[in-house]
């Protein structure tokens, strides 16, 4: 049917209006709408229809459709027409029929898809017109592809006996499209078609029907889709064989001692891979049945043997009685309490701190008043829940030993001289089995009610034990340890990341009457809009729990946190293992990375390696790499820099440029190297680095000038300009010199605090009571910029003590005591001499 050209706009309007009236229905297949009376054979027929597609990262996707015959063709996405300028249209003629054909293409970006909220998916449909009507293509759904970092369930290590079944579960991370799963055995793929003894279930679990010795291996679950490839933690499977006895040998001939014997071996089979040894004896002896042997077995030798045994038993009994008497005498002499504080104070040297004001010569220059009873804590490191006995076993023993002239001295041993002894004592406790076996990342000390401080040098990790945190009359051996992330399994869910080191302080379960303060570095850039921060604590059973959600603390809670740039201070009344974990709420969330460049101190070959480390910006991570490079013979060749890594799933890229080709040759075969995003973001992998290998053209070449770039795709970046002599230049080595952190790792009693004890007590007594004029602890908190924590301070018996404890934790050892004294003196107390101390009080 011919249509005059002048009628085309009207006819197209009618068709378009009819299409719009029916566009509300969901269409999943091609639908034709013919014009009444028109030839249905001339309706548009789609040669190419848009198909479902996934957007990977930020790359837009292309949708294409082609129809014949067609005079117009357009896309409609989620009920709205795509603008005409966004279409790329090609017109042609179908070869055999001569009918007009049209092909159209559009790009769909990630931003367009993300604008669709709710449960509705983003879809696009192609509509073609001809003189006979319209035809709609099938709908194509556009989805954003992703694959989460963490597995919903990972395989766990197992020990199974021979021929026992093995089931290793695996639930891959959530993803679109769903991840495909494969298994690796010692990094080799597991193929059930080649090994009928194994198969993979529909839930992705790996099943070994009957365990064989060859099945002893490390098994890894691998999940992958078009976006990424994730590996689970490897699970070690050990197939062991319990030993079994071989048959008994024949009885031997009767010997001179009137016995004969037989033997067997634990070899049928022999124990393997940690299997149990055979139980029972491998040698069996019996008396011969001859009457002659029975009579000769009793003689003078047997009588002498019995007499000797009786004599030994009598000697042991006498020795035991002597030990009991000695113990009772010592106990009787040590049971008295020390009540005279004047005797105690004579055993300490005065705390010498310069006064802040000339008219107050005794301000902050006093001797502490000390008194104590002495009960030593010797209990389990983790409270037992399986018996009626009390949590702690307390044995009497004096902290003070007598000196000449009626003096007493406080015992605290050197961490260096007795570290091994302390580790050996704790190693018998169940909880200590997971603590580091060395002493470089551990501090310990013996403390009473006077308190003290533990520090792990060069890590920023410390534990402040305020006065009266330990009940009077008790003495605790307290430890502080830094764990390597690979030694402690910390499960992270969703977008969570480890922001701090994993730190233990203990022993867990001891009674504390005041909160202690644990200080540790973190690498987050905290903001309420970008992060959800949680403090995690490991229970004695090994599970991790969220004990604090920062920003939602209850004032009376057992835990509280003061978060500052680079450091967090945790108030806790329960010792244990802690870590700060963050969950990104937006792509603006960022972690601070410390970038360090190392190279050999001495280069004896033509090759020269530049190692670029990407660490979490914490002092403990810097210490670990500094110690590692010292062992490798490396030196720092550039000033460290900070890079902010965003939660955008983009990898970190590293490249080297401007290497003078006449002197050096780069062995890098690609334009850049990459560190996967999830390796860095997870926060549990140490020593992440890339190595650039350069080769000198001549052994005499010593000057090196080049650039190293480190950047995150669509994120932050840093550039290092290297220009130095590899044989003589050591100017950057001083930048890595680890600074002193206040002396020994353990400080006991008054030496652990900047504020003298009696001055502290006077401040607390004066500022704890509310004052109508504002001269109380609230004003002191404002002066010290701690007024955001007023509700927490108010929930404690002494708010002023909490403020002073936090000041001590934040400012030791270099805090300005004069500024604190000025803040206290400026509160307007009516008694101007309140914070001075007389000679009599000292």
């Amino acid at each position: 049917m011919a249509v005059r050209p002048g009628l085309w706009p009207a006819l197209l309007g009618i068709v378009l209006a009819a299409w719009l009236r029916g566009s509300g229905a969901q269409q999943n297949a091609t639908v034709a709408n013919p014009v009444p009376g028109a030839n249905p054979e001339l309706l548009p027929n789609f040669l190419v229809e848009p198909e479902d597609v996934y957007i990977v990262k930020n790359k837009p996707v292309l949708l294409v459709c082609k129809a014949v015959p067609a005079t117009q063709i357009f896309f409609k996405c989620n009920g709205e027409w795509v603008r005409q300028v966004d279409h790329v249209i090609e017109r042609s003629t179908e070869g055999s029929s001569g009918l007009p054909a049209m092909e159209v293409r559009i790009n769909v970006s990630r931003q367009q898809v993300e604008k669709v909220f709710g449960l509705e998916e983003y879809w696009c449909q192609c509509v073609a017109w001809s003189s006979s009507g319209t035809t709609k293509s099938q709908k194509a759904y556009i989805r954003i592809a992703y694959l989460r970092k963490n597995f919903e369930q990972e395989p766990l290590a197992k020990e199974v006996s021979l021929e026992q079944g093995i089931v290793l579960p695996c639930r891959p991370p959530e993803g679109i499209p769903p991840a495909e799963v494969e298994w690796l055995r010692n990094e080799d793929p597991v193929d059930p078609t080649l090994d009928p003894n194994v198969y993979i279930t529909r839930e992705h679990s790996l099943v070994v029907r009957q365990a064989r010795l060859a099945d002893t291996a490390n098994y890894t679950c691998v999940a992958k889709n078009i976006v990424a490839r994730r590996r689970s933690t490897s699970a070690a499977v050990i197939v062991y064989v319990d030993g079994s006895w071989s048959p008994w040998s024949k009885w031997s001939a009767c010997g001179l001692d009137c016995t004969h014997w037989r033997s067997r071996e634990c070899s049928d089979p022999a124990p393997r891979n940690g299997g149990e040894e055979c139980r029972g004896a491998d040698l069996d002896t019996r008396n011969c049945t001859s009457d002659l042997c029975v009579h000769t077995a009793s003689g003078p030798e047997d009588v002498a043997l019995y007499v000797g045994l009786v004599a030994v038993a009598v000697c042991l009994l006498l020795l035991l009685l002597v030990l009991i008497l000695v113990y009772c005498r010592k106990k009787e002499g040590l049971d008295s309490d020390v009540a005279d504080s004047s005797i105690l104070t004579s055993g300490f040297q005065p705390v010498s701190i310069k006064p802040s004001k000339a008219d107050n010569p005794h301000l902050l220059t006093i001797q502490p008043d000390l008194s104590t009873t002495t009960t030593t804590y010797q209990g389990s490191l983790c409270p037992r829940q399986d018996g009626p006995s009390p949590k702690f076993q307390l044995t009497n023993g004096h902290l003070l030993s007598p000196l000449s002239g009626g003096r007493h001295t406080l015992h605290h041993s050197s961490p260096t001289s007795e570290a091994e002894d302390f580790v050996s004592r704790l190693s018998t406790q169940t909880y200590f089995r997971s603590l580091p076996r060395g002493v470089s990342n551990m501090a310990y000390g013996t403390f009473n009610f006077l308190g003290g401080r533990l520090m792990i040098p060069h890590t920023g990790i410390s534990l402040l034990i305020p006065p009266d945190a330990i009940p009077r009359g008790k003495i605790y051996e307290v430890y502080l340890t830094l764990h390597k992330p690979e030694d402690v399994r910390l499960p992270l869910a969703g977008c969570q990341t480890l922001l701090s080191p994993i730190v233990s302080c203990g022993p867990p379960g001891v009674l504390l009457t005041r909160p202690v303060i644990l200080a540790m570095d973190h690498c987050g850039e905290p903001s309420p809009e970008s992060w959800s921060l949680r403090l995690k604590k490991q229970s004695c059973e090994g599970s991790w729990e969220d004990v604090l959600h920062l920003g939602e603390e209850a004032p009376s809670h057992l835990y509280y946190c003061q978060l500052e740039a680079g450091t967090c201070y945790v108030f806790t009344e329960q010792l244990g293992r802690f870590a700060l974990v963050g969950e990104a709420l937006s792509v603006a969330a960022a972690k601070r990375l410390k970038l360090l460049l190392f190279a050999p101190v001495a280069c004896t070959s033509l090759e020269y390696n530049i190692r670029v480390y990407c660490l979490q910006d914490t002092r403990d991570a810097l210490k670990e790499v500094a110690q590692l490079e010292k062992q490798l013979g490396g030196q720092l060749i550039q000033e460290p820099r900070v890079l902010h890594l965003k939660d955008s799933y983009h990898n970190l890229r590293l490249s080297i440029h401007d290497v003078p080709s006449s002197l050096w040759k780069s062995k890098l075969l690609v334009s850049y190297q990459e560190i996967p995003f999830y390796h860095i973001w997870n926060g549990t992998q140490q020593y992440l680095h890339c190595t650039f290998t350069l080769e000198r053209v001549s052994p005499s070449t010593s000057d090196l000038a080049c650039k190293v770039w480190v950047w995150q795709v669509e994120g932050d970046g840093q550039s290092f300009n290297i220009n130095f002599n590899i044989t003589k230049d050591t100017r950057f080595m001083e930048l890595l010199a680890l600074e002193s952190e206040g002396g020994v790792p353990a400080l006991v009693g008054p030496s652990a605090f900047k504020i003298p004890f009696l001055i502290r007590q006077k401040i607390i007594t004066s500022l704890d009571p509310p004052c109508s004029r504002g001269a109380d602890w609230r004003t002191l908190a404002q002066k010290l910029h701690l007024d955001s924590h007023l509700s927490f301070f108010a929930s404690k018996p002494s708010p002023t003590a909490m403020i002073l404890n936090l000041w001590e934790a934040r400012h030791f050892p270099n805090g300005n005591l004069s500024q604190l004294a000025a803040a206290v003196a400026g509160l307007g107390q009516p008694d101007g001499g309140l914070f001075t101390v007389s000679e009599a009080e000292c």
Side-chain angles (χ1 to χ4, degrees):
M1 180 179 67
V3 181
R4 293 197 303 271
L7 295 180
W8 269 113
L11 180 59
L12 186 59
I14 295 173
V15 172
L16 180 59
W19 191 92
L20 290 173
R21 286 194 297 270
S23 62
Q26 292 291 328
Q27 303 291 340
N28 294 321
T30 303
V31 177
N33 295 317
V35 175
N39 184 1
E41 295 181 357
L42 295 180
L43 284 171
N45 178 41
F46 283 99
L47 304 179
V48 178
E49 294 189 74
E51 297 181 349
D52 295 347
V53 68
Y54 295 98
I55 294 179
V56 178
K57 296 183 179 180
N58 292 323
K59 186 177 180 180
V61 295
L62 180 68
L63 297 181
V64 180
C65 70
K66 182 177 182 181
V68 62
T71 57
Q72 295 290 339
I73 189 168
F74 291 101
F75 270 99
K76 190 174 187 180
C77 295
N78 275 58
E80 296 183 1
W81 291 100
V82 178
R83 297 183 309 169
Q84 186 173 0
V85 295
D86 295 331
H87 292 75
V88 176
I89 300 175
E90 294 184 4
R91 300 176 183 271
S92 62
T93 302
E94 187 69 14
S96 59
S97 62
L99 296 175
M102 296 186 68
E103 180 178 321
V104 63
R105 295 187 297 273
I106 63 169
N107 285 317
V108 179
S109 67
R110 183 188 184 110
Q111 290 75 16
Q112 292 174 268
V113 177
E114 288 177 340
K115 289 180 181 179
V116 179
F117 298 98
L119 299 178
E120 185 179 6
E121 293 186 291
Y122 193 91
W123 57 267
C124 290
Q125 190 177 39
C126 197
V127 183
W129 285 266
S130 73
S131 59
S132 297
T134 62
T135 304
K136 305 173 190 175
S137 72
Q138 66 181 9
K139 287 183 177 179
Y141 289 89
I142 300 93
R143 302 175 178 90
I144 298 176
Y146 67 91
L147 185 62
R148 301 292 185 195
K149 295 188 289 292
N150 296 318
F151 282 72
E152 295 183 2
Q153 184 179 14
E154 293 186 290
L156 300 178
K158 291 180 179 290
E159 293 184 4
V160 298
S161 62
L162 191 68
E163 297 185 353
Q164 181 182 343
I166 304 174
V167 179
L168 296 176
C170 176
R171 292 171 57 194
E174 177 189 351
I176 294 179
E180 298 177 357
V181 172
E182 64 179 14
W183 283 88
L184 302 179
R185 178 196 288 131
N186 288 342
E187 302 303 319
D188 294 327
V190 176
D191 189 352
T193 62
L194 301 179
D195 186 355
N197 193 43
V198 300
Y199 68 94
I200 300 174
T201 67
R202 297 180 60 184
E203 293 77 24
H204 310 298
S205 298
L206 179 65
V207 178
V208 180
R209 292 182 172 90
Q210 290 185 324
R212 304 156 297 190
L213 289 176
D215 293 321
T216 297
N218 291 320
Y219 290 84
T220 308
C221 182
V222 179
K224 59 183 179 181
N225 66 4
I226 59 176
V227 177
R229 186 174 185 265
R230 314 285 192 213
R231 291 168 56 99
S232 72
T233 303
S234 295
V237 174
I238 298 176
V239 181
Y240 62 86
V241 178
D242 290 333
S244 182
W245 291 111
S246 64
W248 285 103
S249 65
K250 294 182 178 180
W251 287 102
S252 67
C254 191
L256 296 177
D257 57 351
C258 296
T259 62
H260 61 169
W261 55 269
R262 61 176 181 172
S263 65
R264 57 181 178 175
E265 296 181 350
C266 188
S267 59
D268 191 23
R272 297 185 62 179
N273 293 345
E276 291 187 2
E277 295 284 344
C278 300
R279 297 183 180 181
D282 60 352
L283 186 66
D284 183 20
T285 60
R286 291 183 183 178
N287 288 330
C288 298
T289 57
S290 170
D291 292 338
L292 176 62
C293 287
V294 173
H295 289 297
T296 58
S298 60
E301 295 84 359
D302 294 336
V303 175
L305 176 63
Y306 295 145
V307 171
L309 291 176
V310 172
V312 171
V314 172
C315 291
L316 291 176
L317 181 60
L318 291 175
L319 179 61
L320 179 62
L321 290 175
V322 171
L323 291 176
I324 293 175
L325 289 175
V326 171
Y327 173 76
C328 291
R329 284 179 174 273
K330 284 189 176 182
K331 185 175 184 300
E332 181 180 356
L334 295 177
D335 276 342
S336 59
D337 292 338
V338 179
D340 186 359
S341 62
S342 64
I343 294 178
L344 280 174
T345 55
S346 66
F348 286 86
Q349 296 297 322
V351 179
S352 178
I353 303 177
K354 293 184 179 180
S356 60
K357 296 185 179 180
D359 55 346
N360 291 332
H362 300 293
L363 181 62
L364 304 181
T365 60
I366 65 166
Q367 293 177 335
D369 179 22
L370 310 174
S371 59
T372 184
T373 57
T374 57
T375 305
T376 304
Y377 170 77
Q378 297 287 350
S380 170
L381 287 169
C382 198
R384 294 180 63 87
Q385 306 294 335
D386 54 354
S389 61
K391 286 186 178 179
F392 314 121
Q393 298 293 330
L394 300 177
T395 60
N396 293 330
H398 262 287
L399 172 68
L400 304 171
S401 60
L403 294 176
S404 60
R407 296 190 175 213
H408 288 67
T409 181
L410 179 65
H411 281 299
H412 63 283
S413 58
S414 168
T416 305
S417 63
E418 294 189 1
E420 291 79 5
D421 177 62
F422 177 75
V423 172
S424 65
R425 290 201 306 275
L426 285 183
S427 62
T428 60
Q429 307 292 340
T430 301
Y431 189 82
F432 185 74
R433 292 173 186 171
S434 60
L435 295 179
R437 291 301 190 266
V439 295
S440 62
N441 285 333
M442 170 184 284
Y444 78 94
T446 304
F447 301 91
N448 65 355
F449 77 97
L450 295 173
R453 188 187 305 263
L454 291 175
M455 296 171 289
I456 302 179
H458 317 304
T459 64
I461 299 170
S462 66
L463 180 70
L464 178 73
I465 307 172
D468 290 322
I470 297 176
R472 292 179 179 251
K474 286 185 169 56
I475 300 171
Y476 295 159
E477 271 189 335
V478 182
Y479 62 82
L480 180 68
T481 60
L482 166 65
H483 298 273
K484 293 184 178 181
E486 61 266 25
D487 295 337
V488 179
R489 179 165 176 78
L490 173 62
L492 299 175
C495 299
Q496 289 183 340
T497 175
L498 181 63
L499 296 177
S500 75
I502 301 175
V503 180
S504 288
C505 53
V510 297
L511 175 64
L512 297 175
T513 56
R514 300 283 189 277
V516 298
I517 302 179
L518 174 65
M520 53 187 178
D521 287 358
H522 69 85
C523 62
E525 288 293 326
S527 63
E529 301 81 13
S530 303
W531 285 102
S532 172
L533 301 176
R534 299 176 187 271
L535 181 69
K536 285 184 174 286
K537 180 174 182 288
Q538 189 177 30
S539 66
C540 292
E541 292 75 21
S543 61
W544 286 87
E545 303 170 350
D546 293 338
V547 296
L548 181 64
H549 188 182
L550 274 65
E552 299 181 5
E553 303 95 336
S556 59
H557 203 272
L558 291 175
Y559 309 93
Y560 196 82
C561 185
Q562 156 78 0
L563 192 69
E564 299 182 358
T567 308
C568 61
Y569 300 92
V570 178
F571 291 81
T572 175
E573 297 181 28
Q574 294 183 353
L575 302 182
R577 185 172 295 166
F578 297 92
L580 183 67
V581 171
E583 183 172 1
L585 300 179
S586 69
V587 293
K591 292 177 63 173
R592 294 190 317 276
L593 300 183
K594 181 77 78 175
L595 306 178
L596 300 100
L597 273 63
F598 282 90
V601 174
C603 183
T604 58
S605 65
L606 294 179
E607 285 191 353
Y608 189 76
N609 294 323
I610 299 177
R611 294 180 290 274
V612 185
Y613 288 88
C614 304
L615 314 174
Q616 298 203 141
D617 187 16
T618 57
R619 280 172 281 181
D620 62 286
L622 182 63
K623 174 185 176 182
E624 292 290 334
V625 168
Q627 292 176 341
L628 174 64
E629 280 294 329
K630 185 177 181 181
Q631 297 173 0
L632 297 176
Q635 65 167 330
L636 191 69
I637 62 172
Q638 277 288 302
E639 183 176 352
R641 297 190 181 181
V642 173
L643 182 142
H644 293 84
L645 183 78
K646 291 186 177 181
D647 184 22
S648 61
Y649 296 96
H650 289 301
N651 295 340
L652 198 66
R653 292 182 177 177
L654 304 92
S655 60
I656 190 167
H657 304 273
D658 300 342
V659 178
S661 58
S662 59
L663 301 175
W664 296 86
K665 180 175 65 175
S666 174
K667 290 194 172 183
L668 185 65
L669 301 179
V670 294
S671 58
Y672 57 83
Q673 300 186 65
E674 276 193 329
I675 300 179
F677 168 81
Y678 57 89
H679 283 183
I680 309 173
W681 189 259
N682 184 269
T684 59
Q685 299 196 31
Q686 290 187 309
Y687 314 133
L688 286 174
H689 71 281
C690 287
T691 300
F692 294 101
T693 301
L694 304 178
E695 184 177 358
R696 292 185 286 180
V697 175
S698 167
S700 61
T701 300
S702 58
D703 291 325
L704 175 61
C706 62
K707 292 180 180 180
V708 173
W709 293 352
V710 184
W711 77 101
Q712 185 185 20
V713 179
E714 299 185 8
D716 193 13
Q718 290 287 359
S719 175
F720 295 87
N721 294 319
I722 300 175
N723 190 352
F724 77 114
N725 187 294
I726 66 173
T727 60
K728 297 183 296 184
D729 202 337
T730 60
R731 65 182 185 273
F732 295 106
M733 294 185 66
E734 297 180 357
L735 297 176
L736 206 59
L738 300 176
E739 299 178 356
S740 174
E741 291 189 11
V744 297
L747 296 174
V748 180
S751 63
F753 304 97
K754 296 283 290 183
I755 308 171
F757 185 77
L758 287 186
I759 290 290
R760 170 190 170 90
Q761 296 304 108
K762 282 181 171 285
I763 295 175
I764 292 173
T765 304
S766 174
L767 299 185
D768 270 351
C771 180
S772 59
R773 296 183 302 159
D776 58 13
W777 63 270
R778 294 175 180 84
T779 307
L780 177 62
Q782 293 174 357
K783 286 180 173 289
L784 298 179
H785 307 291
L786 300 174
D787 44 319
S788 61
H789 309 301
L790 294 181
S791 59
F792 169 71
F793 297 146
S795 68
K796 300 303 176 183
S798 175
T800 310
M802 294 296 103
I803 297 174
L804 297 181
N805 294 343
L806 182 56
W807 187 91
E808 290 276 8
R810 296 170 68 194
H811 296 91
F812 189 87
N814 302 317
N816 192 326
L817 207 56
S818 299
Q819 291 182 355
L820 176 63
V824 174
L827 295 180
Q829 286 286 339
D831 186 359
L834 183 62
F835 303 118
T836 60
V837 180
S838 65
E839 293 290 346
E841 290 178 296
C842 292

